[in-house]
Amino acid sequence: MRQTFDDHADPSFGSKHLPLIREELRKQGLDGFLIPHEDEHQNEYLPDANERLSWATGFTGSAGAAVVMADKAAVFVDGRYTLQVKAQVDAALFEARDLVEGGVPLYIETEAKAGAVIGYDPRLHSPDALGWLKIAADKAGATLKPVEGNPVDAAWASARPAQPQAPIAPHPLAFSGEDSADKRARIGEDVARAGADAAVLTAPSSIAWLFNVRGGDVIRSPLPLGQAILNKDGTAELFIDPVKVTADLPAFLGNQVTLARPDDLPKALSALKGKRVLVDPAQSSAWYFDALTNAGAEVVRGADPCALPRACKNAVEIEGARRAHVRDGAALTRFLHWLATEAQTSLPDEVEVVSKLEAFREATGALKDLSFDTIAGAGPNGAIVHYRPTLKTNRRVEPGQLLLVDSGGQYLDGTTDVTRTVAIGKPSEEMRERFTLVLKGHIALARVRFPAGTTGSALDALARAPLWAEGLDYDHGTGHGVGSYLGVHEGPQRIAKAANTTALRPGMILSNEPGYYKTGEYGIRIENLQVVTEPSPIAEGERPMLGFETLTLAPIDRALIVSERLSLEERAWLDAYHARVLAEIGPQLEGDAAAWLEGACAPI
Amino acid sequence: MRQTFDDHADPSFGSKHLPLIREELRKQGLDGFLIPHEDEHQNEYLPDANERLSWATGFTGSAGAAVVMADKAAVFVDGRYTLQVKAQVDAALFEARDLVEGGVPLYIETEAKAGAVIGYDPRLHSPDALGWLKIAADKAGATLKPVEGNPVDAAWASARPAQPQAPIAPHPLAFSGEDSADKRARIGEDVARAGADAAVLTAPSSIAWLFNVRGGDVIRSPLPLGQAILNKDGTAELFIDPVKVTADLPAFLGNQVTLARPDDLPKALSALKGKRVLVDPAQSSAWYFDALTNAGAEVVRGADPCALPRACKNAVEIEGARRAHVRDGAALTRFLHWLATEAQTSLPDEVEVVSKLEAFREATGALKDLSFDTIAGAGPNGAIVHYRPTLKTNRRVEPGQLLLVDSGGQYLDGTTDVTRTVAIGKPSEEMRERFTLVLKGHIALARVRFPAGTTGSALDALARAPLWAEGLDYDHGTGHGVGSYLGVHEGPQRIAKAANTTALRPGMILSNEPGYYKTGEYGIRIENLQVVTEPSPIAEGERPMLGFETLTLAPIDRALIVSERLSLEERAWLDAYHARVLAEIGPQLEGDAAAWLEGACAPI
């Protein structure tokens, strides 16, 4: 079993760990210290060794920060986590504050004493965020001081888990579709076009993509933690712990890639003196900017040159994604069959639901990992958008409730992410009405054709308009990018209310996941992955239009659809989708499941 | 007759005026000079005296630039004007270049000789645009030099029209709905909140709105050219030519507003020494930034503090807009009746169409001006998006053609802008199909409900999706803001593909004008103005939603609608709209027109 259901931290962490941290601050002559959630890789998921915020406070959310002063401390979370922070953090020790409204800068500005010296670890802060913090400290008459040794790490010391040392292995051409040398040559040209001689790459997903390697340093995604310097001629230095280097890796990388130790990185940055070096301020911490500037290099601020090419999957990656989705769809469909039959009478709890689904995925024999911890939300738990079942929150589904299951798998040929919402027993009319509104939005975003240059922000309202018309909405994005056996959340494209200037391009894989959440009662989400298709002509039309090909294959619960509320076009889409699910998944199933799928895919 | 049909410039302008300009350059010791389209008020429409680009080159488009060097010259236009520039500008004298791709900076970088001194008038360039020009000049080893006296003005000299001196009159509270003192007090507070002691206002529409005055310096909009300094306590200095001050203006402005002459402005800016002064770099030229910096003031760059408040109309302005639209709608409906009857047999040309419509508007007795030159495009001329009929281009409509008429009026109580496309004789099936697609997009944007925080960029795709689905699109925005007896194009809100971060707010008036253009054949556009409504609850819903109230009242040509292609909801919207047109416009019509309207507004 890959997923666990324990709480990784508890409210006693504060009283246990805060004195240790304060003792380290005294030793270093600091009056305070900033503890962001982000680690030195500015990655979505952290290795256990870098869960500093959680160790210091008990808070385990995916975004946040803390400030520890000698006589007070505060923890900062956004709107998603206001309830969670109360349950996880000792309020006697940490004042809970809003991460977005005012955030850490306002706290520094109003709470730091004049003359106070507040430390920060420059490896953990983006240069832009640090700018705001410095302005705030100035206003308070305080000083921000970079530290060499992180006092949290010193306090944690022997109890701290080791840094991960998962082996880094070649990712074969059969899955990547493009040789690393070719990638490095063309990205090198992009670096030159950006006016730079070299680029510093610190995003683990960029390292993985550029060198066609995969690791396992971070849970739920096959990422190798490391850094690289890519020169404009396509040669590169790759900084990874030698213990992670597998036997065939050096030959696979070839002689244009020099393997080096992470300890060699400062020296290598110094050697860039006089060069123009591209660094992404959204991806690389202030430490890199300082190191390069101090070395006498000229920093060129710009987007990670791997980000956009990585997002646009090539033909081999798209074909892999299709295969992965047929395999994953068969596992998910077996699970949905179980839910629709056995589980309707022998009602499972969320942990059992997660375990059952994981077992079906495991049985494919191809599962490398889950792509994230499965969200199984029964009844009211389904309405908590960022829910993950634990032994404490675990609920058994009851008749008349909805079960929301958001899950995905990591396979060598692709990463999946799918949400289905299923009725247990007889759903209410309101549930069906609202499920149908969500489905209308999902279909609008699945069917849309659009011209080159269109961004995800421009399409977001198509998925929301049916809900908006009824006075409803959902408080999350509609679609995120997805990697190819990489992170399940991948930029730079996104379908969301927030402005995003990245145009959708052929080969980008995105989720389409509108939802509706009724607090205390139920949650609905319908999520498929879809890949942006090449611009193609439309009969009688004038301009070729891009569109989406749906990758995810699993039935959508017909019991929750009010078919009269669908337009002819919407019904046609749904029937065609279900026909495709039956044609592609049906042959992989056996007996009862195969028979059940026929009914589940019948025209509406 | 207000509208004229002459060409205001011709290709001989270059050969006549370029030698005069070069002579002035020699006198001033300049090797070149930059001539932007923008004038010192950075306004959409220019007074004749400021049409420097047109005088120098012959080009009359609404955006562009020229560079004149001793031995060569170039004119820069965007994609809309590539045909027009060929017709209007002598290619032997001016190389035509793309305004957007490379533009003036690239020309300077590649064409300026090392050591060359290129002049510019700092009153005509935004500080940001100037930054790019300076970088380009640096690369060429050339220098950009601000001039005190504009050499184009010197060359133009006696032939140049006088600066406009239209009287500036109070705009009564019955139309503005808010006293200037109240406006100044609250905008003053906004200025303080932006961290400034005062704001320099240079947008004529901001002057007009803030002081509740209207002028006539610029054709088609009642704008007073002038500047103002607004202090954070709500007091102000208003700089306008004394000859424009009407008798009752000083008393109307009251003793918190000091009237001053434009010549006094530099001294007044100098008096801001030591103060923090808000200036909008998108609205005020580099001259203001330089003057303030040289005076020892601290410039705070930020949006014109009047822009957003001006865009959000108050209850009195909205009520005025409704009245203006009933009046204007009656005039337009009389015109549409004429088009549907008399003009179907006695076919008019475009100039006659424009004249007829102007006469109907004039007959209301309330018309202050057109809100822009009427676009009447018969057949293929309808496909030219920025078309304005002239005696040279004038076409007679033919049976089987479409006539596109985009027009509007300026009334004391509101500004209108409406487009109707009408079939002359029997339209083709393709015309009807495509008109119906445009109508579907229009209806989607008329009916949409949306939550607070939604931008126009987020809604744009709703109007395009029906066209996109058929491989069609239009190359202009979907909606622009509209002033209240002010400019017919007004920011900061906009509905367009381009990202715009201004959320739509109650009281904003926007156009809804999707279209389709078949080059060489016909153009289709359906445009109504609509005002953003207050957030209001929806039955069974959870969140109050904003929406639109359609202001424009005139029938949409039923002969062009394929009713089977409309959904039930779309038909319901159209029928309800037509019922409203009949109820509100019908009683104002007489005889034949009234009877005709009943048919034109019958359910589809």
Side-chain angles (χ1 to χ4, degrees), chain A residues 447-451 536-546 569, chain B residues 430 433-438 440 464-473 516 565:
Chain A
R447 291 180 65 228
V448 66
R449 301 292 298 268
F450 53 91
S536 68
I538 293 174
E540 316 279 312
E542 295 166 353
R543 306 185 186 192
M545 294 281 162
L546 292 81
E569 293 83 0
Chain B
E430 184 194 82
E433 291 281 343
R434 293 187 176 177
F435 185 91
T436 306
L437 294 175
V438 173
K440 287 169 85 78
R464 295 181 194 269
L467 288 159
W468 285 353
E470 309 273 333
L472 308 171
D473 200 1
Y516 166 74
R565 296 213 50 179

Side-chain angles (χ1 to χ4, degrees), chain B residues 195-197 272-279 292-293 296-301:
Chain B
D197 302 304
L272 292 171
K273 179 177 179 176
K275 296 276 175 66
R276 291 170 59 86
V277 184
L278 182 65
V279 197
L292 286 165
T293 305
E298 184 183 344
V299 173
V300 178
R301 294 166 73 103

Side-chain angles (χ1 to χ4, degrees), chain A residues 231-269:
Chain A
N231 301 305
K232 63 182 176 184
D233 66 0
T235 62
E237 281 175 279
L238 176 57
F239 302 85
I240 47 177
D241 189 337
V243 76
K244 301 199 278 190
V245 177
T246 49
D248 47 354
L249 188 63
F252 176 79
L253 292 172
N255 57 16
Q256 291 203 304
V257 178
T258 310
L259 274 168
R261 305 165 57 93
D263 293 348
D264 298 333
L265 181 62
K267 204 173 60 191
L269 295 179

